[in-house]
Amino acid sequence: DRIDESVERAAELLVPLSSPDDLHEVLRSVLREVIEFARNNDHLERELAAHALTRDQVNRMYGSNDVIEIVVQRLELSGALSRAQLRRTEFAIRAAAAIVHRAIGSELRFADMMTMSDDEFIDEVTALISGYLEPVLFGSTDRH
């Protein structure tokens, strides 16, 4: 199952973070997965809007899971992150997914309006999210 494979890769990538460079590499990989998911599953969001269905109803209809929730659960079980690090990491992943959805997977598609390639888009979101996560995961950094 494609969702299970994405979850497994993301969870494995997020655990061994030991430096800001590792974080940037992981974010780029996760963002590529989220971009692909957003492009391939935009119909789920349209279903939500068109039929006023709840997310739970759409998940039951299409067998979709909250991929981020599964990744966070696996991170929590790994014990690799403190509670504060886990909470901030979950927020950052959800924020990145929301940015991807609005930029690529929604009718807004602001990445198209900005004529950004996927790589340029990934670089920008990586800079934004890593700037938020680096201090909590690695302490103060001079990279700003």
Side-chain angles (χ1 to χ4, degrees), residues 81-94:
L81 301 176
S82 71
R83 183 163 169 73
Q85 290 172 321
L86 184 65
R87 184 176 57 245
R88 195 158 223 198
T89 300
E90 178 181 6
F91 178 82
I93 295 169
R94 288 189 185 282

Side-chain angles (χ1 to χ4, degrees), residues 66-80:
D66 186 341
V67 173
I68 295 169
E69 185 64 32
I70 295 167
V71 170
V72 170
Q73 287 172 358
R74 294 201 181 162
L75 282 172
E76 190 171 22
L77 290 173
S78 77

